[in-house]
Amino acid sequence: MKFGVVVGRFNDLVTKLLLEGAYNAFQSHGVDLANVEVCWVPGSFELPVVAKAMAKSSKLDAVVCIGVVVRGATTHYDAVVSAATSGVLNASVDTGVPVVFGVLTCDTMEQALDRAGGKVGNKGGEAAITAIEMANLMASLRSDGLAAPAWGPAK
């Protein structure tokens, strides 16, 4: 199986740790890292467009989106979180390829670090495991004739 990972550079102190967690999870579940394509985008707002483009390539079995949005003093947080959430969901629904939401939405940087290998584990690793599970599930459903093929270019 092949996987894509789209990572936001904004708050890269945390996103780098999440990516490391994803790499570790892929490897521990038997995925050769040569089968993991990573793309960096400016921030979480930009994740969906690249995730959807990667999903439509028909070369990947699932895509993981990794980002970090930390609440500030303005409503910008709400707009970015809303756009990233709906955009990642739509990328999956619009392509038939699992696109996994591995975006931390935290009130503080401390909370983000806790979820990037700190007290609460590594959510990047959890997102990679979800991608593996969903890719396997979709492959099984498709092989049993219970799900349509992905609706990007022909595979």
Side-chain angles (χ1 to χ4, degrees):
M1 297 201 130
K2 294 189 121 199
F3 297 91
V5 181
V6 187
V7 188
R9 275 193 312 271
F10 198 78
N11 291 318
D12 70 344
L13 171 70
V14 182
T15 60
K16 287 177 182 177
L17 296 171
L18 294 169
L19 178 58
E20 182 180 320
Y23 277 147
N24 291 338
F26 280 130
Q27 285 185 304
S28 69
H29 286 80
V31 176
D32 184 341
L33 292 184
N35 291 323
V36 178
E37 297 293 332
V38 176
C39 291
W40 288 84
V41 297
S44 294
F45 190 84
E46 293 78 21
L47 293 169
V49 69
V50 175
K52 185 172 180 177
M54 291 178 83
K56 287 181 84 170
S57 75
S58 296
K59 295 181 180 181
L60 303 171
D61 297 288
V63 178
V64 176
C65 294
I66 292 176
V68 176
V69 186
V70 178
R71 187 178 301 278
T74 69
T75 59
H76 182 71
Y77 169 90
D78 297 317
V80 172
V81 169
S82 178
T85 303
S86 62
V88 169
L89 172 64
N90 288 336
S92 192
V93 171
D94 290 349
T95 63
V97 174
V99 180
V100 178
F101 188 77
V103 178
L104 300 182
T105 56
C106 301
D107 288 324
T108 66
M109 186 59 79
E110 180 182 3
Q111 288 176 342
L113 289 166
D114 284 347
R115 287 156 180 77
K119 294 186 248 182
V120 190
N122 191 304
K123 301 300 180 181
E126 291 177 20
I129 292 167
T130 299
I132 294 166
E133 181 179 348
M134 288 300 297
N136 282 316
L137 174 60
M138 293 304 291
S140 176
L141 289 171
R142 287 177 174 133
S143 73
D144 292 342
L146 298 173
W151 34 93
K155 212 170 188 180

